[in-house]
Amino acid sequence: MKQLILLFLFTISASAQIKGVVKDSITKQPIAYVSVWVENKNIGTTSEENGSFELNVSENESIIFSVFGYENKTISVKNISEILLIPKINEIEEVVITSSLKTKQTEIGDVKKQFYLPEPQNIPWLFARKFNLDKSNPDLKYLKELIYFTNSEVEKGIFRARVFEVNEEGLPGDDLISEEIIVNVKKGKHKTIVDISKHNIQIPEKGIIVCFESLIVDQNKYVQVAYSLKPKKKYEYINYSPHIGYFHNDNIETYNKRSGRWEIFSKEYNKKNNHPIPAINITLSN
């Protein structure tokens, strides 16, 4: 822990601080909760509700701006002045969204005993897992609820819930929900349920990917205490809530997005395959 903290402090001292505001290119209105990444590095933050952000970075870096509903944008630090993002138009096929009866439902996802990792969450991470249709209930093919097993150290934590299509590369593709979903989380460990039945999303044969996106904003900030054994010492550092739980299942494909890029973990890609799966379930209906 001591080495980790010392390295973090050195990175801050060797960098210059940049500030900016992210805006819509058409309306010129600020965009809240934009992931701001240093390209090819695990350094980043999230814009606040007023679109403002601060980041410590060297002058020769490039910054990636990524948020729901907008095209990604990469800008050199030297050229950052006004950051304008272009709205994205997602074309969702008509076969994906139809009417449903919702008279029966079932929860799937295999989360039985979740655990929480004590890792610092001070960069905007996206954790996701894949879901396929429940073969034992073929008539239940509509997505009714997203279920996240969360742990929050603050009273009113927030995260972004997202549902992606599976693209040709097997990675998260376009968003399947056309509106932003910011979820409020109570303090402590909870089964946080997000009702998305109004969107009438039918799960395609190749499945869907459900995502938990952390937001590095003041509302989620808290001071975490850690201890080292040799030497015996107490440390305090800034962390951000809420955290998603995890569990183990070797047969589930999982994804994370750091440094602005998606990575996939599965048996096909990892021989040991001992990575944690984000503790997310879904409810299906007919």
Side-chain angles (χ1 to χ4, degrees), residues 96 98-108 131-134 136-147 194-204 208 281-286:
V96 175
T98 58
S99 60
S100 58
L101 297 176
K102 300 183 180 65
T103 57
K104 296 191 299 182
Q105 65 180 51
T106 184
E107 181 178 330
I108 65 171
F131 288 93
N132 294 305
L133 289 170
D134 184 2
S136 62
N137 294 286
D139 58 326
L140 303 181
K141 53 187 177 181
Y142 290 90
L143 191 55
K144 183 177 186 292
E145 296 170 333
L146 310 178
I147 303 171
V194 184
D195 186 347
I196 60 168
S197 57
K198 68 178 183 179
H199 298 286
N200 292 317
I201 298 175
Q202 181 178 338
I203 298 182
I208 59 168
N281 280 353
I282 61 174
T283 300
L284 297 178
S285 66
N286 62 335

Side-chain angles (χ1 to χ4, degrees), residues 3 10 29-30 44 86-87 96 99 112 120 134 161 165 187 206 219 225 233 235 252 263 265:
Q3 293 179 344
F10 174 79
Q29 293 298 310
I86 300 173
V96 175
S99 60
K112 296 177 182 178
D134 184 2
E165 68 172 7
K187 187 175 183 178
K206 61 182 179 181
Q219 183 174 343
V225 178
K233 193 173 181 180
Y235 296 95
I252 296 175
E263 294 181 347
F265 296 89

Side-chain angles (χ1 to χ4, degrees), residues 27-88:
T27 66
K28 300 300 189 293
Q29 293 298 310
I31 306 174
Y33 312 136
V34 178
S35 292
V36 184
W37 289 99
V38 178
E39 190 174 32
N40 299 321
K41 291 187 177 180
N42 279 333
I43 301 174
T45 188
T46 306
S47 69
E48 298 287 344
E49 286 190 21
N50 62 1
S52 66
F53 70 93
E54 297 181 6
L55 192 62
N56 293 285
V57 60
S58 61
E59 293 183 356
N60 60 347
E61 304 284 4
S62 293
I63 308 299
I64 300 173
F65 297 88
S66 175
V67 68
F68 169 85
Y70 290 85
E71 301 287 347
N72 290 353
K73 189 168 188 175
T74 303
I75 306 176
S76 170
V77 170
K78 297 178 181 179
N79 297 327
I80 285 183
S81 54
E82 187 176 34
I83 301 96
L84 301 176
L85 301 187
I86 300 173
K88 180 192 295 184

Side-chain angles (χ1 to χ4, degrees), residues 132-247:
N132 294 305
L133 289 170
D134 184 2
K135 294 181 179 179
S136 62
N137 294 286
D139 58 326
L140 303 181
K141 53 187 177 181
Y142 290 90
L143 191 55
K144 183 177 186 292
E145 296 170 333
L146 310 178
I147 303 171
Y148 297 88
F149 293 82
T150 58
N151 182 25
S152 180
E153 290 81 4
V154 299
E155 290 293 345
K156 296 180 180 180
I158 57 174
F159 70 91
R160 181 184 281 118
R162 299 177 74 172
V163 180
F164 298 103
E165 68 172 7
V166 182
N167 66 18
E168 296 299 326
E169 299 175 343
L171 295 170
D174 290 332
D175 287 275
L176 289 178
I177 297 178
S178 59
E179 66 181 43
E180 184 176 52
I181 302 176
I182 300 298
V183 183
N184 292 282
V185 179
K186 296 179 181 178
K187 187 175 183 178
K189 296 179 180 179
H190 293 280
K191 186 176 181 180
T192 302
I193 300 175
V194 184
D195 186 347
I196 60 168
S197 57
K198 68 178 183 179
H199 298 286
N200 292 317
I201 298 175
Q202 181 178 338
I203 298 182
E205 292 186 5
K206 61 182 179 181
I208 59 168
I209 296 171
V210 179
C211 174
F212 170 97
E213 182 176 355
S214 64
L215 301 175
I216 311 305
V217 294
D218 287 343
Q219 183 174 343
N220 290 338
K221 184 186 296 184
Y222 70 99
V223 176
Q224 182 159 344
V225 178
Y227 299 89
S228 63
L229 297 177
K230 295 181 180 180
K232 190 174 182 180
K233 193 173 181 180
K234 175 183 175 180
Y235 296 95
E236 294 184 349
Y237 59 95
I238 298 298
N239 205 344
Y240 294 83
S241 275
H243 290 81
I244 186 69
Y246 298 91
F247 70 107

